[in-house]
Amino acid sequence: MNLLVAALCGILYFIGTSRLGYGLSQATGSPIFYGLILGLVYGELEKGLIIGATIQLIYIGIIFTGGNMPADQSLAGITAIPIALQTGMNVEVAVGLAVPFG
């Protein structure tokens, strides 16, 4: 199961960070989308969405001016959400884990 989740996270991160279509990559690269998919995989949809939405709130006001990416919300979400869902972390601890990765 862990290997499949790691492969899924790698594929989701690639899709979310590739700039094939700006609107599509913005939607698929958001932590709330990762929370939806990983919550379905782990069978904890509500908790996955709550964690993803909370991480999304941190990065909602960041604007990429001049092509500079000051923080990576995709990396923060894709690393913290599966760890939080697998270990049963609280939302606050998961967000605290996500911030250094982002």
Side-chain angles (χ1 to χ4, degrees):
M1 173 86 175
N2 291 336
L3 185 61
L4 294 174
V5 170
L8 176 66
C9 287
I11 292 168
L12 286 173
Y13 184 72
F14 174 75
I15 292 170
T17 56
S18 64
R19 300 293 178 207
L20 299 175
Y22 185 73
L24 181 65
S25 66
Q26 286 292 1
T28 59
S30 66
I32 198 164
F33 178 74
Y34 296 148
L36 172 73
I37 300 298
L38 293 170
L40 286 172
V41 169
Y42 280 104
E44 297 182 24
L45 180 62
E46 183 180 353
K47 188 172 183 181
L49 282 172
I50 290 171
I51 294 170
T54 308
I55 295 170
Q56 181 77 35
L57 284 174
I58 296 170
Y59 298 101
I60 203 160
I62 295 178
I63 299 170
F64 304 142
T65 55
N68 182 20
M69 187 182 329
D72 190 2
Q73 68 178 356
S74 298
L75 185 63
I78 207 67
T79 54
I81 294 171
I83 293 171
L85 289 176
Q86 190 168 8
T87 60
M89 284 183 188
N90 294 341
V91 177
E92 296 84 14
V93 177
V95 171
L97 178 69
V99 168
F101 286 111

